[in-house]
Amino acid sequence: MSFVALIPARMASTRLPDKPLADIAGKPMVVRVAERAVRSQAGQVYIATDDTRVKAAAVEHGYTAVLTRNDHPTGTDRLAEAVEQLGLADDTIVVNVQGDEPLIDPELIDAVATLLHDRPDADIATCACPLADAEALFNPNVVKVVCGTDGRALYFSRAPIPWARDALATGERMLATGLPALHHIGLYAYRVGFLRRFPVLPQGTLERYEALEQLRALEHGHTIVVYRTPEPPMAGVDTPADLERVRAWYTHHSQ
């Protein structure tokens, strides 16, 4: 099986300006992400960015980058432009490796690509792990997903789903591990044909309420399948504190 790893890298970040170029043990973050992607089974690794500085950094370290518009509302829209520039065939599988995940597990990249390859009925594959605890169930920053028996995603939400009526009616916070909900992990594999259609899909009510773009696909009848991993991945970089944690990891593991 062959697939492409595509890394969207957007410069604008309110909490961490110029995040893709943040230094991690002597290399820009986006390059560290690309190094992880190269360790997967991807046939090609590309970076899609809206800034010439990121493209220059990628080229300097031997990676191919495409320059996209800076007005894309979502990372998926940026990928849609990138696959057009790259001229990828509709049946190509593309894994969206977030540009702020310098500790992403290459085997997890392979797993979502393999799942999509093995499910011709699906347009998207993603992944999830068990909820850590009851607090995660009620945390709106932790996206939850519930699946059917065939592994299809039924719904994504920031709210606690499903609602355990009998337990929660009395105010008891049922152990998260006792519920069928999973903690969604933002790693996606797409078929290029779907990526080409995504920008013209109108935003639906569910996406507007939840601020979750994967709901656009569900609302329009597209199938998302979910790979279940037993452990959560190492966290990405959203804040200066996250950046220091990742820098410490690279310093320790480079010795």
Side-chain angles (χ1 to χ4, degrees):
M1 181 201 65
S2 176
F3 68 92
V4 172
L6 192 48
I7 304 167
R10 176 173 168 266
M11 282 295 278
S13 172
T14 54
R15 289 185 288 181
L16 195 59
D18 296 346
K19 183 164 62 170
L21 297 180
D23 181 82
I24 298 177
K27 295 180 182 179
M29 183 190 306
V30 69
V31 171
R32 290 298 187 186
V33 176
E35 289 176 341
R36 303 290 284 187
V38 165
R39 292 170 58 186
S40 74
Q41 296 178 22
Q44 298 86 30
V45 174
Y46 301 109
I47 294 167
T49 183
D50 60 357
D51 195 285
T52 56
R53 292 170 293 170
V54 176
K55 182 176 181 180
V59 172
E60 179 184 350
H61 288 85
Y63 295 98
T64 300
V66 294
L67 197 61
T68 61
R69 303 198 321 266
N70 61 6
D71 60 348
H72 286 301
T74 71
T76 310
D77 291 287
R78 189 175 311 284
L79 262 61
E81 181 186 353
V83 300
E84 289 296 340
Q85 290 196 38
L86 293 168
L88 300 180
D90 280 353
D91 60 351
T92 303
I93 291 175
V94 169
V95 179
N96 177 358
V97 182
Q98 299 291 345
D100 57 4
E101 297 280 351
L103 298 178
I104 187 71
D105 184 355
E107 292 185 0
L108 196 57
I109 297 173
D110 294 338
V112 295
T114 299
L115 177 60
L116 187 58
H117 175 268
D118 292 344
R119 290 291 300 265
D121 59 312
D123 294 299
I124 307 171
T126 188
C127 53
C129 64
L131 288 163
D133 49 40
E135 293 304 314
L137 177 66
F138 288 86
N139 183 347
N141 295 315
V142 174
V143 177
K144 277 70 67 174
V145 58
V146 289
C147 301
T149 55
D150 60 353
R152 288 183 304 111
L154 299 177
Y155 192 66
F156 297 85
S157 183
R158 299 182 184 279
I161 56 171
W163 186 259
R165 184 194 63 179
D166 295 336
L168 296 173
T170 61
E172 175 188 349
R173 287 200 170 187
M174 191 176 189
L175 284 177
T177 52
L179 292 175
L182 295 168
H183 180 168
H184 177 240
I185 300 165
L187 179 69
Y188 298 93
Y190 301 97
R191 300 188 194 281
V192 165
F194 169 80
L195 281 175
R196 289 196 165 100
R197 296 191 298 274
F198 181 82
V200 299
L201 294 177
Q203 187 185 61
T205 302
L206 297 178
E207 182 185 4
R208 287 197 298 272
Y209 274 109
E210 296 268 16
L212 298 172
E213 65 187 80
Q214 59 267 41
L215 289 174
R216 191 185 314 180
L218 289 185
E219 284 189 87
H220 288 280
H222 294 280
T223 297
I224 303 175
V225 288
V226 180
Y227 173 79
R228 301 190 184 200
T229 180
E231 300 292 336
M234 299 182 75
V237 177
D238 289 318
T239 66
D242 293 335
L243 180 58
E244 292 308 314
R245 170 181 49 80
V246 170
R247 283 171 170 165
W249 187 94
Y250 270 89
T251 298
H252 176 75
H253 285 82
S254 63
Q255 293 177 348

